[in-house]
Amino acid sequence: MLLLVLSLIVGCSSNAKQAEGDQDQLTGSIQIDGSSTVFPISQAVAEEFMKENSGVQVTVSTSGTGGGFEKWAKGETDINDASRPIKDEEKKAAAKKGIEPLEIPVAYDAITIVVNKENDFIDQMTLEELKKIWEPGSNVKTWKDVNDKWPAEPIKLYGPGTNHGTFDYFTEVVLETDKKSRTDYTAGEYNTLVQGVAGDKNALGYFGFAYYQENQDKLKAVKIVNEKGEAVAPSVETVNNGTYTPLSRSVYIYPSQKAMERPEVKAFVDFYLEKGHELVEEVGYVKLPEDELKKARETAKGK
């Protein structure tokens, strides 16, 4: 009888603890959209988060930074991945729906200029040469139109569409325009651009560093001449030491204040800035230095 009573007590205690654990377990769903550049980071973080929180479904999609902000401002998503800071008009659109952004940097990226692996005449380029090729109304048709030392072969251009933050950043920094470039190029998602450049000997394209990292066997990264006259290749080291300029930049996630009131979203963002921080380099990006990471964590806590 004594043994029976003890077993019943232990069983009840165990069931109570299990019920308590089930009650504490996070549940729900999180919708993320936006930047193709930030997608590999958010996808990796989402996969690891769901391993530890099986009751939460995290869906990560890509429609470009601008396209993502349109959905986010309507309340259709909880977090927007962004490869540039939010614009004033995007803030105003969100405010109409009572949505307030939290700007949280998560990594550094290096916009990478790529050519075909068989290209044997380009090792480096200046910003002036890039501008001459990509500026609105450009008359450049062949490599020789850019540099007399290059062959008179037609250039085939590949780049992100106008809804991408990478396009915004490139046109602002390199072309010194507001979302304007030549339009006669093949635009698409980054994997499409990789395939295009890899399949055409006379191709030139640009996109986020991680997509180059994944395809180094198919592509050749072009060194960019910085303001000191140094030809610098994109890498973790050159982004960290500040020599790969001006094509290195911060990338962000933007949860809404309202979404952060939900425990599953708050837990995901905290996870992103803790364990997720260690995944940044694994997917081809540059980790934030500790002082900036600390600021990001404080922002997430509402400080």
Side-chain angles (χ1 to χ4, degrees):
M1 284 293 294
L2 180 60
L3 288 173
L4 178 61
V5 171
L6 286 174
S7 65
L8 288 172
I9 293 172
V10 171
C12 291
S13 176
S14 176
N15 290 337
K17 287 181 179 179
Q18 185 177 356
E20 183 181 351
D22 291 342
Q23 188 177 7
D24 291 341
Q25 185 177 351
L26 290 170
T27 59
S29 62
I30 302 170
Q31 299 294 325
I32 304 173
D33 204 313
S35 169
S36 298
T37 299
V38 187
F39 172 81
I41 309 174
S42 290
Q43 182 64 31
V45 174
E47 289 173 0
E48 291 302 312
F49 179 80
M50 287 188 289
K51 287 179 183 177
E52 297 187 15
N53 299 275
S54 59
V56 181
Q57 177 63 41
V58 184
T59 303
V60 187
S61 305
T62 61
S63 58
T65 297
F69 270 130
E70 288 181 13
K71 295 179 182 179
W72 177 86
K74 295 174 183 176
E76 296 175 5
T77 59
D78 303 304
I79 298 172
N80 193 54
D81 289 340
S83 58
R84 60 159 171 79
I86 190 171
K87 296 181 177 182
D88 288 341
E89 58 265 32
E90 291 164 339
K91 286 182 181 179
K92 290 177 182 177
K96 291 178 181 178
K97 293 285 188 177
I99 296 172
E100 297 180 34
L102 280 178
E103 182 179 275
I104 302 176
V106 293
Y108 287 132
D109 178 39
I111 294 179
T112 305
I113 311 300
V114 295
V115 293
N116 186 274
K117 199 76 172 179
E118 295 181 19
N119 186 310
D120 58 3
F121 57 88
I122 290 183
D123 180 59
Q124 64 184 53
M125 296 182 76
T126 65
L127 294 179
E128 290 74 20
E129 288 169 337
L130 285 173
K131 184 176 181 180
K132 189 174 182 179
I133 294 170
W134 284 96
E135 65 187 348
S138 172
N139 292 318
V140 169
K141 301 295 183 184
T142 71
W143 291 105
K144 194 173 182 65
D145 292 336
V146 184
N147 188 317
D148 287 337
K149 297 179 182 179
W150 297 343
E153 297 290 336
I155 301 178
K156 185 65 179 294
L157 297 174
Y158 294 84
T162 57
N163 61 332
H164 286 266
T166 300
F167 174 87
D168 293 346
Y169 188 90
F170 185 84
T171 55
E172 178 182 347
V173 172
V174 177
L175 308 185
E176 301 176 305
T177 66
D178 182 18
K179 296 194 68 166
K180 294 178 181 178
S181 80
R182 67 187 298 168
T183 58
D184 56 338
Y185 71 95
T186 299
E189 293 301 320
Y190 294 163
N191 287 325
T192 301
L193 305 182
V194 167
Q195 293 172 12
V197 177
D200 191 327
K201 185 177 179 180
N202 285 301
L204 172 78
Y206 70 93
F207 38 73
F209 183 58
Y211 291 87
Y212 162 69
Q213 286 272 73
E214 289 180 358
N215 297 279
Q216 293 184 59
D217 58 327
K218 305 174 186 175
L219 304 171
K220 176 181 172 182
V222 178
K223 295 176 183 176
I224 300 301
V225 179
N226 64 20
E227 66 275 6
K228 294 182 180 180
E230 304 165 330
V232 181
S235 69
V236 171
E237 180 183 0
T238 58
V239 171
N240 275 327
N241 65 25
T243 58
Y244 189 71
T245 58
L247 294 183
S248 57
R249 56 180 175 164
S250 298
V251 294
Y252 310 85
I253 58 171
Y254 279 85
S256 68
Q257 298 268 16
K258 186 176 181 180
M260 288 289 279
E261 294 174 4
R262 290 168 27 214
E264 71 273 19
V265 176
K266 179 66 168 61
F268 176 77
V269 173
D270 289 344
F271 185 92
Y272 208 123
L273 297 173
E274 294 292 342
K275 294 184 179 180
H277 180 63
E278 300 306 317
L279 300 172
V280 167
E281 289 185 348
E282 289 183 22
V283 294
Y285 292 86
V286 181
K287 292 197 293 188
L288 294 176
E290 281 302 319
D291 58 335
E292 292 193 33
L293 183 61
K294 182 179 178 181
K295 291 178 183 178
R297 289 169 177 163
E298 289 175 352
T299 299
K301 292 177 181 177
K303 295 182 179 180

